[in-house]
PDB file of all heavy atoms in Angstrom:
ATOM      1  N   ALA A 323     -90.415-112.896-198.886  1.00 98.00           N
ATOM      2  CA  ALA A 323     -90.482-111.613-199.405  1.00 98.00           C
ATOM      3  C   ALA A 323     -90.505-110.573-198.240  1.00 98.00           C
ATOM      4  O   ALA A 323     -91.014-110.835-197.184  1.00 98.00           O
ATOM      5  CB  ALA A 323     -91.675-111.347-200.230  1.00 98.00           C
ATOM      6  N   ILE A 324     -89.880-109.437-198.520  1.00 98.00           N
ATOM      7  CA  ILE A 324     -89.881-108.306-197.627  1.00 98.00           C
ATOM      8  C   ILE A 324     -90.304-107.075-198.318  1.00 98.00           C
ATOM      9  O   ILE A 324     -89.800-106.691-199.425  1.00 98.00           O
ATOM     10  CB  ILE A 324     -88.505-108.202-196.824  1.00 98.00           C
ATOM     11  CG1 ILE A 324     -88.590-107.041-195.881  1.00 98.00           C
ATOM     12  CG2 ILE A 324     -87.360-108.050-197.807  1.00 98.00           C
ATOM     13  CD1 ILE A 324     -87.428-107.158-194.773  1.00 98.00           C
ATOM     14  N   HIS A 325     -91.445-106.431-197.828  1.00 98.00           N
ATOM     15  CA  HIS A 325     -92.202-105.411-198.605  1.00 98.00           C
ATOM     16  C   HIS A 325     -91.916-104.042-198.069  1.00 98.00           C
ATOM     17  O   HIS A 325     -92.002-103.844-196.850  1.00 98.00           O
ATOM     18  CB  HIS A 325     -93.634-105.677-198.526  1.00 98.00           C
ATOM     19  CG  HIS A 325     -94.049-107.088-198.886  1.00 98.00           C
ATOM     20  ND1 HIS A 325     -94.597-107.903-197.982  1.00 98.00           N
ATOM     21  CD2 HIS A 325     -94.091-107.693-200.039  1.00 98.00           C
ATOM     22  CE1 HIS A 325     -94.954-109.130-198.557  1.00 98.00           C
ATOM     23  NE2 HIS A 325     -94.619-108.988-199.819  1.00 98.00           N
ATOM     24  N   SER A 326     -91.744-103.083-198.991  1.00 97.00           N
ATOM     25  CA  SER A 326     -91.678-101.698-198.667  1.00 97.00           C
ATOM     26  C   SER A 326     -92.940-100.959-198.939  1.00 97.00           C
ATOM     27  O   SER A 326     -93.799-101.477-199.571  1.00 97.00           O
ATOM     28  CB  SER A 326     -90.560-100.975-199.306  1.00 97.00           C
ATOM     29  OG  SER A 326     -90.874-100.675-200.651  1.00 97.00           O
ATOM     30  N   LYS A 327     -93.080 -99.883-198.268  1.00 96.00           N
ATOM     31  CA  LYS A 327     -94.097 -98.919-198.559  1.00 96.00           C
ATOM     32  C   LYS A 327     -93.721 -98.164-199.901  1.00 96.00           C
ATOM     33  O   LYS A 327     -92.711 -98.518-200.474  1.00 96.00           O
ATOM     34  CB  LYS A 327     -94.287 -97.870-197.391  1.00 96.00           C
ATOM     35  CG  LYS A 327     -94.663 -98.569-196.087  1.00 96.00           C
ATOM     36  CD  LYS A 327     -94.768 -97.517-195.021  1.00 96.00           C
ATOM     37  CE  LYS A 327     -95.066 -98.179-193.724  1.00 96.00           C
ATOM     38  NZ  LYS A 327     -95.041 -97.294-192.478  1.00 96.00           N
ATOM     39  N   PHE A 328     -94.438 -97.107-200.230  1.00 94.00           N
ATOM     40  CA  PHE A 328     -94.102 -96.342-201.503  1.00 94.00           C
ATOM     41  C   PHE A 328     -93.604 -95.039-201.107  1.00 94.00           C
ATOM     42  O   PHE A 328     -94.040 -94.416-200.107  1.00 94.00           O
ATOM     43  CB  PHE A 328     -95.324 -96.092-202.356  1.00 94.00           C
ATOM     44  CG  PHE A 328     -95.969 -97.513-202.673  1.00 94.00           C
ATOM     45  CD1 PHE A 328     -97.133 -97.973-202.009  1.00 94.00           C
ATOM     46  CD2 PHE A 328     -95.465 -98.321-203.707  1.00 94.00           C
ATOM     47  CE1 PHE A 328     -97.700 -99.223-202.394  1.00 94.00           C
ATOM     48  CE2 PHE A 328     -95.971 -99.506-203.976  1.00 94.00           C
ATOM     49  CZ  PHE A 328     -97.076 -99.978-203.361  1.00 94.00           C
ATOM     50  N   LEU A 329     -92.586 -94.550-201.867  1.00 93.00           N
ATOM     51  CA  LEU A 329     -92.133 -93.157-201.633  1.00 93.00           C
ATOM     52  C   LEU A 329     -93.215 -92.243-202.047  1.00 93.00           C
ATOM     53  O   LEU A 329     -93.709 -92.252-203.222  1.00 93.00           O
ATOM     54  CB  LEU A 329     -90.871 -93.005-202.527  1.00 93.00           C
ATOM     55  CG  LEU A 329     -90.039 -91.711-202.185  1.00 93.00           C
ATOM     56  CD1 LEU A 329     -89.470 -91.738-200.857  1.00 93.00           C
ATOM     57  CD2 LEU A 329     -88.963 -91.514-203.298  1.00 93.00           C
ATOM     58  N   PRO A 330     -93.695 -91.314-201.200  1.00 91.00           N
ATOM     59  CA  PRO A 330     -94.758 -90.495-201.523  1.00 91.00           C
ATOM     60  C   PRO A 330     -94.290 -89.483-202.668  1.00 91.00           C
ATOM     61  O   PRO A 330     -93.100 -89.103-202.714  1.00 91.00           O
ATOM     62  CB  PRO A 330     -94.999 -89.636-200.269  1.00 91.00           C
ATOM     63  CG  PRO A 330     -93.912 -89.873-199.335  1.00 91.00           C
ATOM     64  CD  PRO A 330     -93.240 -91.106-199.725  1.00 91.00           C
ATOM     65  N   PRO A 331     -95.110 -89.217-203.567  1.00 90.00           N
ATOM     66  CA  PRO A 331     -94.810 -88.187-204.587  1.00 90.00           C
ATOM     67  C   PRO A 331     -94.570 -86.805-203.949  1.00 90.00           C
ATOM     68  O   PRO A 331     -94.989 -86.537-202.848  1.00 90.00           O
ATOM     69  CB  PRO A 331     -95.953 -88.172-205.461  1.00 90.00           C
ATOM     70  CG  PRO A 331     -97.153 -88.566-204.652  1.00 90.00           C
ATOM     71  CD  PRO A 331     -96.577 -89.502-203.716  1.00 90.00           C
TER      72      PRO A 331
END
Side-chain angles (χ1 to χ4, degrees):
I324 179 161
H325 307 112
S326 78
K327 299 176 182 172
F328 303 101
L329 190 67

